[in-house]
Amino acid sequence: MELLFFAYRDFTGRPDEILAEFGLGRAHHRVLYFVGRNPQINVNALLNILRITKQSLSRVLGRLVGQGYIIQHPGKKDRRQRLLELTEKGVNLEHRLFNNQQTRLARAYRLAGPSAVEGFWQVLTDIPDRPSSVKKPSEKQEES
Amino acid sequence: MELLFFAYRDFTGRPDEILAEFGLGRAHHRVLYFVGRNPQINVNALLNILRITKQSLSRVLGRLVGQGYIIQHPGKKDRRQRLLELTEKGVNLEHRLFNNQQTRLARAYRLAGPSAVEGFWQVLTDIPDRPSSVKKPSEKQEES
DNA sequence: AATTTATGTCAGCCATGTTGACATATATGC
DNA sequence: GCATATATGTCAACATGGCTGACATAAATT
Protein backbone atom coordinates (compact mmCIF):
# COMPACT_ATOMS: atom_id res chain seq x y z
CA MET A 1 0.00 0.00 0.00
CA GLU A 2 2.58 2.49 1.07
CA LEU A 3 4.85 1.05 -1.56
CA LEU A 4 2.65 2.70 -4.12
CA PHE A 5 3.16 5.98 -2.34
CA PHE A 6 6.92 5.62 -2.17
CA ALA A 7 7.18 4.42 -5.72
CA TYR A 8 5.17 7.37 -6.95
CA ARG A 9 7.05 9.79 -4.74
CA ASP A 10 10.47 8.72 -5.91
CA PHE A 11 9.38 8.10 -9.44
CA THR A 12 8.49 11.74 -9.86
CA GLY A 13 11.37 13.11 -7.82
CA ARG A 14 14.09 13.39 -10.44
CA PRO A 15 11.86 14.60 -13.26
CA ASP A 16 10.54 17.26 -10.92
CA GLU A 17 14.05 18.58 -10.47
CA ILE A 18 14.66 18.70 -14.19
CA LEU A 19 11.36 20.43 -14.77
CA ALA A 20 12.18 22.99 -12.13
CA GLU A 21 15.16 24.10 -14.21
CA PHE A 22 12.72 25.08 -16.90
CA GLY A 23 10.26 26.62 -14.53
CA LEU A 24 7.80 23.83 -15.18
CA GLY A 25 5.99 21.50 -12.82
CA ARG A 26 4.66 18.01 -12.63
CA ALA A 27 1.46 19.02 -14.31
CA HIS A 28 3.41 20.05 -17.39
CA HIS A 29 5.17 16.72 -17.33
CA ARG A 30 1.91 14.83 -17.45
CA VAL A 31 0.72 16.81 -20.40
CA LEU A 32 3.98 16.36 -22.25
CA TYR A 33 3.86 12.67 -21.54
CA PHE A 34 0.35 12.03 -22.74
CA VAL A 35 0.59 14.27 -25.75
CA GLY A 36 3.83 12.56 -26.63
CA ARG A 37 2.21 9.17 -26.44
CA ASN A 38 -0.95 10.26 -28.21
CA PRO A 39 0.01 12.59 -31.01
CA GLN A 40 -2.92 14.47 -32.48
CA ILE A 41 -4.94 13.99 -29.35
CA ASN A 42 -7.69 16.51 -28.87
CA VAL A 43 -8.27 18.56 -25.77
CA ASN A 44 -11.28 16.65 -24.57
CA ALA A 45 -9.55 13.30 -24.74
CA LEU A 46 -6.64 14.72 -22.81
CA LEU A 47 -9.00 16.06 -20.18
CA ASN A 48 -10.53 12.64 -19.81
CA ILE A 49 -7.18 11.05 -19.23
CA LEU A 50 -5.98 13.57 -16.72
CA ARG A 51 -9.36 14.02 -15.04
CA ILE A 52 -8.89 17.68 -14.37
CA THR A 53 -10.93 20.68 -15.46
CA LYS A 54 -10.30 22.49 -18.70
CA GLN A 55 -9.37 25.60 -16.75
CA SER A 56 -6.60 23.75 -15.00
CA LEU A 57 -5.39 22.22 -18.19
CA SER A 58 -5.61 25.54 -19.95
CA ARG A 59 -3.08 27.17 -17.67
CA VAL A 60 -0.62 24.35 -18.08
CA LEU A 61 -1.17 23.70 -21.74
CA GLY A 62 -1.13 27.40 -22.57
CA ARG A 63 2.29 27.64 -21.08
CA LEU A 64 3.60 24.67 -23.00
CA VAL A 65 2.23 26.04 -26.24
CA GLY A 66 3.51 29.52 -25.46
CA GLN A 67 7.01 28.24 -24.83
CA GLY A 68 7.01 26.10 -27.93
CA TYR A 69 6.85 22.63 -26.48
CA ILE A 70 3.52 21.82 -28.05
CA ILE A 71 1.72 22.98 -31.15
CA GLN A 72 -1.99 22.94 -31.82
CA HIS A 73 -3.80 22.79 -35.12
CA PRO A 74 -7.44 22.40 -36.01
CA GLY A 75 -8.73 18.93 -36.79
CA LYS A 76 -9.47 18.20 -40.42
CA LYS A 77 -12.67 16.34 -39.82
CA ASP A 78 -13.86 18.59 -37.02
CA ARG A 79 -12.35 22.02 -37.22
CA ARG A 80 -13.49 22.92 -33.75
CA GLN A 81 -10.92 20.59 -32.29
CA ARG A 82 -7.41 21.64 -31.46
CA LEU A 83 -5.18 18.67 -31.97
CA LEU A 84 -2.06 18.58 -29.88
CA GLU A 85 1.40 17.50 -30.82
CA LEU A 86 4.88 17.85 -29.37
CA THR A 87 7.34 20.08 -31.17
CA GLU A 88 10.92 18.99 -31.51
CA LYS A 89 11.67 20.98 -28.40
CA GLY A 90 8.85 19.20 -26.65
CA VAL A 91 10.07 15.82 -27.78
CA ASN A 92 13.52 16.57 -26.45
CA LEU A 93 12.33 17.55 -23.04
CA GLU A 94 9.92 14.68 -22.85
CA HIS A 95 12.68 12.25 -23.74
CA ARG A 96 14.90 13.62 -21.08
CA LEU A 97 12.22 13.15 -18.47
CA PHE A 98 11.21 9.80 -19.80
CA ASN A 99 14.71 8.39 -19.85
CA ASN A 100 15.13 9.25 -16.26
CA GLN A 101 12.11 7.33 -15.18
CA GLN A 102 12.90 4.51 -17.53
CA THR A 103 16.28 4.15 -15.91
CA ARG A 104 14.66 3.81 -12.54
CA LEU A 105 12.16 1.28 -13.82
CA ALA A 106 14.85 -0.64 -15.61
CA ARG A 107 16.80 -0.98 -12.41
CA ALA A 108 13.76 -2.28 -10.59
CA TYR A 109 13.03 -4.68 -13.44
CA ARG A 110 16.56 -5.95 -13.41
CA LEU A 111 16.51 -6.49 -9.67
CA ALA A 112 13.16 -8.18 -9.70
CA GLY A 113 13.53 -10.37 -12.77
CA PRO A 114 11.25 -10.90 -15.76
CA SER A 115 8.54 -12.99 -14.17
CA ALA A 116 8.14 -10.43 -11.42
CA VAL A 117 7.82 -7.76 -14.06
CA GLU A 118 5.08 -9.71 -15.69
CA GLY A 119 3.16 -9.87 -12.43
CA PHE A 120 3.82 -6.24 -11.76
CA TRP A 121 2.14 -5.27 -14.98
CA GLN A 122 -0.67 -7.65 -14.42
CA VAL A 123 -1.61 -6.20 -11.07
CA LEU A 124 -1.01 -2.60 -12.01
CA THR A 125 -3.29 -2.96 -14.97
CA ASP A 126 -6.07 -4.15 -12.74
CA ILE A 127 -5.91 -1.40 -10.17
CA PRO A 128 -7.50 1.45 -12.12
CA ASP A 129 -11.20 1.76 -12.74
CA ARG A 130 -12.65 -0.69 -15.15
CA PRO A 131 -12.05 -0.04 -18.80
CA SER A 132 -9.30 2.47 -18.10
CA SER A 133 -8.34 5.17 -20.51
CA VAL A 134 -5.00 3.71 -21.44
CA LYS A 135 -4.58 2.54 -25.00
CA LYS A 136 -8.21 2.37 -25.83
CA PRO A 137 -8.67 5.38 -28.08
CA SER A 138 -11.02 3.37 -30.22
CA GLU A 139 -14.06 5.09 -28.77
CA LYS A 140 -12.93 8.66 -29.13
CA GLN A 141 -11.21 10.88 -31.65
CA GLU A 142 -9.81 9.50 -34.81
CA GLU A 143 -9.20 13.12 -35.58
CA SER A 144 -7.00 14.91 -38.05
CA MET B 1 4.77 3.97 -16.87
CA GLU B 2 1.42 5.57 -17.21
CA LEU B 3 -0.03 2.62 -15.38
CA LEU B 4 1.59 3.96 -12.28
CA PHE B 5 -0.16 7.25 -12.86
CA PHE B 6 -3.55 5.66 -13.41
CA ALA B 7 -3.13 3.33 -10.49
CA TYR B 8 -2.24 6.19 -8.21
CA ARG B 9 -4.98 8.38 -9.60
CA ASP B 10 -7.72 5.83 -9.07
CA PHE B 11 -6.25 4.50 -5.90
CA THR B 12 -6.68 7.84 -4.23
CA GLY B 13 -9.96 8.73 -5.86
CA ARG B 14 -12.43 7.10 -3.50
CA PRO B 15 -10.63 7.99 -0.28
CA ASP B 16 -10.48 11.57 -1.49
CA GLU B 17 -14.25 11.64 -1.70
CA ILE B 18 -14.64 10.27 1.79
CA LEU B 19 -12.13 12.74 3.14
CA ALA B 20 -13.95 15.59 1.49
CA GLU B 21 -17.01 14.79 3.62
CA PHE B 22 -14.90 15.59 6.65
CA GLY B 23 -13.29 18.61 5.12
CA LEU B 24 -9.97 16.82 4.93
CA GLY B 25 -7.61 16.24 2.05
CA ARG B 26 -5.16 13.73 0.77
CA ALA B 27 -2.41 15.16 2.92
CA HIS B 28 -4.41 14.29 6.01
CA HIS B 29 -4.88 10.80 4.70
CA ARG B 30 -1.15 10.27 4.38
CA VAL B 31 -0.56 11.41 7.92
CA LEU B 32 -3.33 9.22 9.28
CA TYR B 33 -1.95 6.30 7.37
CA PHE B 34 1.63 6.57 8.52
CA VAL B 35 0.79 7.41 12.08
CA GLY B 36 -1.58 4.46 12.10
CA ARG B 37 1.13 2.15 10.88
CA ASN B 38 3.80 3.62 13.14
CA PRO B 39 2.24 4.35 16.49
CA GLN B 40 4.41 6.53 18.71
CA ILE B 41 6.25 7.89 15.75
CA ASN B 42 7.90 11.23 16.35
CA VAL B 43 7.51 14.27 14.18
CA ASN B 44 10.92 14.09 12.61
CA ALA B 45 10.52 10.51 11.52
CA LEU B 46 7.20 11.37 9.98
CA LEU B 47 8.73 14.27 8.13
CA ASN B 48 11.38 11.97 6.72
CA ILE B 49 8.79 9.58 5.41
CA LEU B 50 6.63 12.21 3.83
CA ARG B 51 9.51 14.36 2.64
CA ILE B 52 7.75 17.61 3.26
CA THR B 53 8.63 20.57 5.45
CA LYS B 54 7.59 20.84 9.04
CA GLN B 55 5.50 23.89 8.20
CA SER B 56 3.49 21.89 5.72
CA LEU B 57 3.08 19.04 8.13
CA SER B 58 2.20 21.40 10.90
CA ARG B 59 -0.86 22.70 9.11
CA VAL B 60 -2.13 19.23 8.39
CA LEU B 61 -1.17 17.61 11.65
CA GLY B 62 -2.45 20.53 13.69
CA ARG B 63 -5.83 20.05 12.15
CA LEU B 64 -5.89 16.33 12.85
CA VAL B 65 -4.90 16.90 16.45
CA GLY B 66 -7.38 19.75 16.82
CA GLN B 67 -10.22 17.62 15.56
CA GLY B 68 -9.26 14.69 17.73
CA TYR B 69 -7.98 12.21 15.18
CA ILE B 70 -4.50 12.15 16.63
CA ILE B 71 -3.04 12.73 20.06
CA GLN B 72 0.46 13.77 20.94
CA HIS B 73 2.40 13.17 24.09
CA PRO B 74 5.99 13.81 25.06
CA GLY B 75 8.52 11.01 24.69
CA LYS B 76 9.68 9.37 27.87
CA LYS B 77 13.31 9.13 26.92
CA ASP B 78 13.44 12.46 25.15
CA ARG B 79 10.81 14.81 26.42
CA ARG B 80 11.32 17.21 23.55
CA GLN B 81 9.66 14.77 21.19
CA ARG B 82 5.97 14.69 20.53
CA LEU B 83 4.98 11.15 19.83
CA LEU B 84 1.97 10.68 17.62
CA GLU B 85 -0.81 8.20 17.88
CA LEU B 86 -4.27 7.76 16.41
CA THR B 87 -7.25 8.23 18.69
CA GLU B 88 -10.20 5.89 18.38
CA LYS B 89 -11.79 8.42 16.10
CA GLY B 90 -8.61 8.48 14.04
CA VAL B 91 -8.49 4.72 13.87
CA ASN B 92 -12.05 4.60 12.64
CA LEU B 93 -11.49 7.06 9.86
CA GLU B 94 -8.25 5.46 8.87
CA HIS B 95 -9.92 2.07 8.69
CA ARG B 96 -12.63 3.40 6.50
CA LEU B 97 -10.13 4.83 4.08
CA PHE B 98 -7.91 1.83 4.26
CA ASN B 99 -10.67 -0.67 3.60
CA ASN B 100 -11.59 1.15 0.49
CA GLN B 101 -8.17 0.92 -0.98
CA GLN B 102 -7.78 -2.61 0.20
CA THR B 103 -10.89 -3.57 -1.67
CA ARG B 104 -9.46 -2.16 -4.83
CA LEU B 105 -6.17 -3.91 -4.29
CA ALA B 106 -7.89 -7.15 -3.44
CA ARG B 107 -9.78 -7.02 -6.69
CA ALA B 108 -6.59 -6.48 -8.63
CA TYR B 109 -4.89 -9.27 -6.72
CA ARG B 110 -7.73 -11.64 -7.40
CA LEU B 111 -7.75 -10.83 -11.09
CA ALA B 112 -4.02 -11.13 -11.42
CA GLY B 113 -3.37 -14.20 -9.31
CA PRO B 114 -0.89 -14.87 -6.52
CA SER B 115 2.31 -15.18 -8.52
CA ALA B 116 1.58 -11.89 -10.22
CA VAL B 117 1.10 -10.32 -6.83
CA GLU B 118 4.46 -11.59 -5.77
CA GLY B 119 6.09 -9.97 -8.76
CA PHE B 120 4.14 -6.81 -8.22
CA TRP B 121 5.57 -6.44 -4.76
CA GLN B 122 9.02 -7.33 -5.91
CA VAL B 123 9.15 -4.60 -8.52
CA LEU B 124 7.38 -2.00 -6.45
CA THR B 125 9.84 -2.49 -3.65
CA ASP B 126 12.71 -1.81 -5.98
CA ILE B 127 11.42 1.40 -7.49
CA PRO B 128 12.04 3.78 -4.60
CA ASP B 129 15.45 5.16 -3.70
CA ARG B 130 17.82 2.69 -2.18
CA PRO B 131 17.37 2.01 1.50
CA SER B 132 13.87 3.43 1.43
CA SER B 133 12.21 4.77 4.50
CA VAL B 134 9.74 1.97 4.88
CA LYS B 135 10.34 -0.34 7.79
CA LYS B 136 13.87 0.72 8.41
CA PRO B 137 13.60 2.89 11.48
CA SER B 138 16.86 1.48 12.76
CA GLU B 139 18.78 4.65 12.01
CA LYS B 140 16.45 7.12 13.59
CA GLN B 141 14.22 7.48 16.60
CA GLU B 142 13.89 4.66 19.06
CA GLU B 143 11.94 7.11 21.14
CA SER B 144 9.77 6.70 24.15
C1' DA C 1 26.94 27.62 30.79
C1' DA C 2 26.86 27.19 25.82
C1' DT C 3 25.20 24.79 22.12
C1' DT C 4 22.44 21.64 19.59
C1' DT C 5 18.17 19.35 18.72
C1' DA C 6 13.08 18.67 18.41
C1' DT C 7 9.36 21.05 17.70
C1' DG C 8 6.24 24.92 16.86
C1' DT C 9 4.65 29.29 14.78
C1' DC C 10 4.01 33.44 11.90
C1' DA C 11 3.92 35.33 7.40
C1' DG C 12 3.96 35.13 2.66
C1' DC C 13 4.74 32.85 -1.98
C1' DC C 14 3.65 29.45 -5.70
C1' DA C 15 1.61 25.54 -8.31
C1' DT C 16 -2.28 23.38 -9.39
C1' DG C 17 -6.59 21.87 -8.40
C1' DT C 18 -11.74 23.72 -8.06
C1' DT C 19 -16.48 26.39 -9.47
C1' DG C 20 -19.15 29.53 -12.12
C1' DA C 21 -20.10 32.49 -15.86
C1' DC C 22 -19.71 33.59 -20.35
C1' DA C 23 -17.75 33.82 -25.49
C1' DT C 24 -16.82 31.89 -30.11
C1' DA C 25 -16.60 28.74 -33.85
C1' DT C 26 -18.19 24.84 -35.85
C1' DA C 27 -21.14 20.76 -36.38
C1' DT C 28 -25.56 18.69 -36.38
C1' DG C 29 -30.51 17.95 -36.24
C1' DC C 30 -34.99 19.14 -37.77
C1' DG D 1 -31.37 27.45 -42.81
C1' DC D 2 -32.05 28.17 -38.21
C1' DA D 3 -31.71 26.32 -33.60
C1' DT D 4 -29.08 23.86 -30.71
C1' DA D 5 -25.27 21.18 -29.16
C1' DT D 6 -20.33 20.57 -28.90
C1' DA D 7 -15.25 21.79 -28.59
C1' DT D 8 -12.64 24.99 -26.88
C1' DG D 9 -11.12 29.21 -24.55
C1' DT D 10 -11.17 32.86 -21.01
C1' DC D 11 -11.94 35.65 -16.81
C1' DA D 12 -12.26 35.73 -11.89
C1' DA D 13 -12.16 33.90 -7.44
C1' DC D 14 -11.07 30.40 -4.21
C1' DA D 15 -8.79 26.11 -1.68
C1' DT D 16 -5.16 22.89 -0.76
C1' DG D 17 -0.82 21.79 0.17
C1' DG D 18 3.74 22.35 -1.15
C1' DC D 19 7.73 26.01 -0.25
C1' DT D 20 11.15 29.62 2.11
C1' DG D 21 12.67 32.53 5.91
C1' DA D 22 12.69 34.09 10.50
C1' DC D 23 12.21 33.40 15.08
C1' DA D 24 10.75 31.00 19.76
C1' DT D 25 10.97 27.48 23.43
C1' DA D 26 12.16 23.44 25.91
C1' DA D 27 15.04 19.83 26.67
C1' DA D 28 19.27 17.29 25.74
C1' DT D 29 24.18 17.28 25.15
C1' DT D 30 28.89 18.88 25.46
Side-chain angles (χ1 to χ4, degrees), chain A residues 106-118:
Chain A
R107 179 173 63 85
Y109 280 5
R110 185 163 29 78
L111 291 173
S115 80
V117 171
E118 183 55 38

Side-chain angles (χ1 to χ4, degrees), chain A residues 88-100:
Chain A
E88 197 189 327
K89 186 179 174 186
V91 169
N92 287 340
L93 177 53
E94 206 281 318
H95 274 8
R96 204 171 143 197
L97 298 168
F98 185 85
N99 285 337
N100 225 282

Side-chain angles (χ1 to χ4, degrees), chain B residues 58-120:
Chain B
S58 173
R59 221 171 358 202
V60 173
L61 182 55
R63 179 96 162 276
L64 290 171
V65 171
Q67 300 188 196
Y69 293 104
I70 288 181
I71 43 169
Q72 311 177 283
H73 49 83
K76 287 170 199 146
K77 288 161 68 168
D78 184 339
R79 301 207 322 258
R80 290 171 305 180
Q81 297 183 332
R82 306 298 182 85
L83 306 184
L84 307 172
E85 192 178 5
L86 294 185
T87 61
E88 198 189 326
K89 185 179 174 187
V91 170
N92 288 339
L93 178 53
E94 205 280 317
H95 276 6
R96 200 169 148 201
L97 298 167
F98 185 84
N99 286 337
N100 225 282
Q101 297 192 312
Q102 208 171 35
T103 301
R104 179 179 291 272
L105 262 190
R107 178 173 64 83
Y109 280 6
R110 185 164 29 77
L111 291 173
S115 80
V117 171
E118 182 56 37
F120 173 71

Side-chain angles (χ1 to χ4, degrees), chain A residues 52-117:
Chain A
I52 60 177
T53 59
K54 62 177 177 174
Q55 294 93 326
S56 283
L57 176 58
S58 172
R59 218 169 3 200
V60 173
L61 182 54
R63 178 94 164 275
L64 291 171
V65 170
Q67 300 188 193
Y69 293 103
I70 288 181
I71 43 170
Q72 310 177 283
H73 50 85
K76 285 171 199 144
K77 287 161 66 168
D78 184 338
R79 300 205 324 257
R80 290 171 304 179
Q81 298 183 332
R82 304 301 180 86
L83 307 182
L84 307 172
E85 191 179 5
L86 295 184
T87 61
E88 197 189 327
K89 186 179 174 186
V91 169
N92 287 340
L93 177 53
E94 206 281 318
H95 274 8
R96 204 171 143 197
L97 298 168
F98 185 85
N99 285 337
N100 225 282
Q101 298 193 313
Q102 208 171 35
T103 300
R104 179 179 292 272
L105 261 190
R107 179 173 63 85
Y109 280 5
R110 185 163 29 78
L111 291 173
S115 80
V117 171

